[in-house]
Amino acid sequence: MKKGVKITLIVLATLVGFVLIDTLQALLFNNNPIIGMEMWCKKRSGILVDTYHCDNGNITKFKFTNYPLETSCTTNVTCGK
């Protein structure tokens, strides 16, 4: 295999591994993902997960799940939506 292809595969594998580790630590410890943005209304959005900050703690869920936050978070998480 050529040297350029090996370097590219190593870099891609490292990036994918870092994203997966970040997602796992956010889900397992129920905290903010390291790679992400603080949204405008008590929400931290990562690459694969979202963390909502409620009055009874944090809720970390995958982005592609259909999760009703109103049942477990009494505060208005989405700011009027």
Side-chain angles (χ1 to χ4, degrees), residues 8-74:
T8 304
L9 288 176
I10 290 172
V11 168
L12 287 175
T14 303
L15 289 175
V16 168
F18 190 65
V19 168
L20 289 177
I21 288 173
D22 180 45
T23 301
L24 285 175
Q25 71 85 20
L27 287 171
L28 290 176
F29 299 118
N30 199 21
N31 60 3
N32 291 330
I34 297 169
I35 304 171
M37 293 176 38
E38 188 73 33
M39 302 307 279
W40 50 279
C41 223
K42 294 186 178 182
K43 176 182 170 185
R44 174 122 176 142
S45 181
I47 294 176
L48 295 176
V49 294
D50 287 334
T51 300
Y52 300 95
H53 303 285
C54 297
D55 53 354
N56 56 352
N58 296 336
I59 299 172
T60 304
K61 295 292 176 188
F62 280 110
K63 286 188 174 188
F64 50 82
T65 58
N66 190 7
Y67 180 72
L69 285 173
E70 293 82 20
T71 58
S72 60
C73 188
T74 58

